Amino acid sequence: MASNLTDRATTAAAGSDALFPVEVSLGEAGVEWRRRGSGQGRPDGDEGADPEVAAAAERLSKRRAYRFVKRAFDIAFSLLVLVCFCWLFAVIAIAVKADDPKGPVLFRQRRVTKDGREFTMYKFRSMCADAEERLAELRALNEKTGPVFKMRDDPRVTRVGRLLRRVSLDELPQFANVLKGDLSVVGPRPALPSEVATYTPRQRQRLLVKSGITCYWQTRRNRDSITFDEWVDLDLLYIKQCSAWADLKLIVQTVGCMLTAQGS
C-alpha cells in the first residue's frame, strides 16, 4: 500500500457520546491519528467502537462476489503452497527436531477468529518445549502495550526458531488453517482467547472479519515498535479498505518482507 495512503474515520470520544473527525495516515512510521483542525493525536483511552468499521463490515457481508473470490483464492493459494513447498516443510521439520529434540515439530495453540470463534492454529515450533510454562516469569519484560506479549530477545526462542522467525517460515503450517477455513491468507492476525477477553469494544472490532496469515501490521518495517493500539488501527483500516486489490498488494508486500528477512 502506498505510504501516503490516508483514510478518514470517525471515532467515539472517550468518556462521552460526542463524535469528532480524525485523519488516519499510514506511512513508514505506522498509523498516525490527528484530530482535524486541532493538531492533536488520537486521545489515550479512546476505546469506543468505530461506527465506520461496523458499517464497512456490514458492507463486506453483502459483497458475495468478493467473498467467493477471496475464499476461492485462499483454497487455491494454500494448496499451491502446501504442495509446491512440501520439501521445505520437511527440511524445516528436520531442523526443528535436530535443534531441540524434546518438543514436537508443530506448535498448536487455540486462537480466535471472526465473531469470536476459536480454532487450533498451527506453527512450526520456534521456542523451547516449555515456553508456555515460562511465560509467567517473563511477563514483566513485555515490550508491547495492551494484552499481547512481545519480546525482542525472548530467551525461549531456539536457534532454528530465531532464523525461522526472521523469514516468517514458522507461519507456513497456517496454510493448512487457510485450507480448512479457519484463516484467510489476508486478515487481522488471530488473537489468544486470553487477549480477546480483555478487549475493549473498539479492539474487538478486529473480529468482524476472518483472521489471516498476513495483514498491514505484518508488513510494517517497524512492526516491533508499533503499539497495540496502532496495531488495532491498522486492522480496522484494513476492514474499511478491504478489497481484492488491497489483498493482492499485501501478499506481494509480505513476500518482500520474507525475502528481506524483516521478521522478528
Side-chain angles (χ1 to χ4, degrees), residues 107-113 116-122 132 177 180 182 190-196:
F107 175 67
R108 297 173 174 84
Q109 191 176 54
R110 297 296 289 175
R111 294 292 182 108
V112 181
T113 185
R117 184 177 70 84
E118 291 191 21
F119 70 99
T120 300
M121 189 184 76
Y122 310 117
E132 295 289 278
N177 288 120
K180 290 170 59 180
D182 297 327
L192 294 167
S194 59
E195 295 170 354
V196 174

Side-chain angles (χ1 to χ4, degrees), residues 20-23 32-43:
F20 59 88
V22 295
E23 182 179 273
E32 295 180 358
W33 290 72
R34 191 168 300 279
R35 187 194 299 258
R36 198 172 299 280
S38 71
Q40 297 178 0
R42 177 170 58 83

Side-chain angles (χ1 to χ4, degrees), residues 165-168 218-224 256-264:
R165 288 182 168 211
R166 287 291 297 172
V167 290
S168 300
Q218 195 88 358
T219 60
R220 306 311 296 166
R221 292 183 179 180
N222 63 332
R223 69 185 188 188
D224 287 337
C257 290
M258 293 176 66
L259 294 177
T260 54
Q262 293 181 25
S264 56

Side-chain angles (χ1 to χ4, degrees), residues 16-78:
S16 74
D17 294 329
L19 296 177
F20 59 88
V22 295
E23 182 179 273
V24 185
S25 300
L26 178 57
E28 289 299 325
V31 177
E32 295 180 358
W33 290 72
R34 191 168 300 279
R35 187 194 299 258
R36 198 172 299 280
S38 71
Q40 297 178 0
R42 177 170 58 83
D44 294 335
D46 178 14
E47 305 297 356
D50 188 334
E52 287 197 3
V53 173
E58 178 65 22
R59 289 193 298 271
L60 278 175
S61 68
K62 298 176 181 178
R63 292 169 57 187
R64 295 183 180 180
Y66 167 72
R67 290 190 289 114
F68 175 81
V69 171
K70 187 178 178 75
R71 180 56 186 153
F73 175 82
D74 283 346
I75 294 173
F77 192 73
S78 58

